[in-house]
Amino acid sequence: MKDKSHSNALQPETVPAGSSREWNFHPNLPIGMSPVFDLPPKPKAALAWIAGAWLKRTPPVNHLIFAVAAYLLFWPSLDAIRSAPWASAAQMLAVNSGSVLVLAGALHIYLYVLAGQEMRLKFDVRPMEKSKRFTFGNQVWDNMFWSLASGVPIWTAWVVLYFVAAAHGLVPMLETIGASPIWFVLFFFVIRFWQSFHFYWIHRLIHIPWMFRNVHHLHHRNINVGPWSGLAMHPVEHVLYYSGILIHFVLPSHPIHVLFHLFALNLGAVFSHAGFDKILVKDAEAIKAGSFHHQLHHRYFECNYGSEEIPLDRWFGSFHDGTQAATQRIRARKKALFSAKQPRA
């Protein structure tokens, strides 16, 4: 089918009144960060943010659904992993590959092939590129290749490592939910904050000039992103990206925690790079999708390294709130960063 992502002209009316014209659509500006870590504490605002960002038609709910379904229907038991590790690894690879193919494929077809909501709520109107800077000269094929040939196998390798260790009693585990029901629930929230903390620091690492040139640039070829862009990374970046799973080697986890964490990393990247703020079905909001916070990072590079859960970008001066003033500040910051790294004559 023909890709219709370029068929509609810019629609100024989709941009909130009185805001930036750099985008086809963006949320109200300035965007904010989670109030969970605000001082003095704001418990009502924090709870409201968590409810809105994590529990109301949002990707985290879908990650949990995927995790529970995978565990109950498709995942090998610890006994099977002990007795047939290679067959179990192949089964995990099939589950992981299928989940990415289904979600990223469905979103791409709906948003970019069928143009199911045209340009409504799309941040950037430019289509996916066909350019020599992408593998195979095509942004979509490039993104699919790196996602499926590197991302899914390395994700699976981390998962196999954990479950083989769990099957042999080498990691702390919650074998049943009833063993510690309060911790079982609370740990999902811990995972979300740990994911944000870990992502920020590994992201800063791969923005070191040598790492950026040799590793992270592959992901940043995607300035205008789509669902397949989220996992389109260099293998070294994939190894670092999934290393957050190491928390489960230290803290007692149920298999559903581990699957939720890894689905959040993978399917979360698919959603956050969708390029659209929300998915619409018959003009009604079906689910929150793309992240304008991260879209800003893909356009301006040296900002918004983390996510909204922990305001590390605000604390370290790299937060872009979407305003023109922030754009000027980040451009000045980027110029200063790179001029400081040039060798003196």
Side-chain angles (χ1 to χ4, degrees), residues 71 78 162-163 173-175 253-260:
Y71 177 67
L78 295 182
Y162 171 82
F163 278 97
M173 279 194 69
L174 287 180
E175 295 193 12
S253 308
H254 189 277
I256 290 176
H257 290 135
V258 182
L259 294 176
F260 169 77

Side-chain angles (χ1 to χ4, degrees), residues 143-335:
N143 288 179
M144 292 181 68
F145 173 79
W146 291 106
S147 297
L148 297 172
S150 175
V152 172
I154 292 173
W155 162 21
T156 303
W158 274 112
V159 173
V160 169
L161 178 64
Y162 171 82
F163 278 97
V164 167
H168 290 87
L170 301 177
V171 296
M173 279 194 69
L174 287 180
E175 295 193 12
T176 64
I177 296 171
S180 184
I182 295 175
W183 173 246
F184 178 80
V185 173
L186 288 178
F187 196 31
F188 288 108
F189 295 89
V190 173
I191 290 168
R192 293 295 297 173
F193 288 115
W194 164 249
Q195 182 183 340
S196 180
F197 180 84
H198 176 265
F199 179 63
Y200 177 85
W201 289 110
I202 64 108
H203 204 171
R204 291 303 300 258
L205 172 65
I206 56 180
H207 268 264
I208 293 172
W210 186 90
M211 289 287 281
F212 188 91
R213 287 193 304 271
N214 293 283
V215 174
H216 193 41
H217 81 95
L218 191 152
H219 183 66
H220 265 285
R221 294 190 298 203
N222 297 286
I223 296 174
N224 181 35
V225 297
W228 284 105
S229 305
L231 295 177
M233 307 175 193
H234 189 283
V236 171
E237 182 172 354
H238 280 129
V239 171
L240 293 170
Y241 182 65
Y242 296 122
S243 65
I245 194 178
L246 290 171
I247 192 175
H248 302 288
F249 287 75
V250 178
L251 298 180
S253 308
H254 189 277
I256 290 176
H257 290 135
V258 182
L259 294 176
F260 169 77
H261 188 173
L262 273 296
F263 278 127
L265 287 173
N266 289 280
L267 306 186
V270 171
F271 272 114
S272 67
H273 291 75
F276 289 76
D277 187 62
K278 297 178 182 69
I279 306 301
L280 302 178
V281 177
K282 294 183 178 180
D283 296 326
E285 177 187 338
I287 189 171
K288 170 71 178 171
S291 166
F292 186 66
H293 178 276
H294 194 66
Q295 186 89 21
L296 287 161
H297 175 77
H298 272 269
R299 178 170 289 191
Y300 300 115
F301 287 33
E302 299 300 332
C303 64
N304 294 6
Y305 302 106
S307 61
E308 296 97 323
E309 278 78 3
I310 303 179
L312 288 160
D313 281 296
R314 190 169 66 197
W315 295 343
F316 289 99
S318 54
F319 178 47
H320 193 313
D321 63 9
T323 63
Q324 290 292 329
T327 296
Q328 294 172 6
R329 179 175 56 80
I330 292 301
R331 283 174 173 162
R333 179 178 181 274
K334 182 177 179 180
K335 183 177 180 181

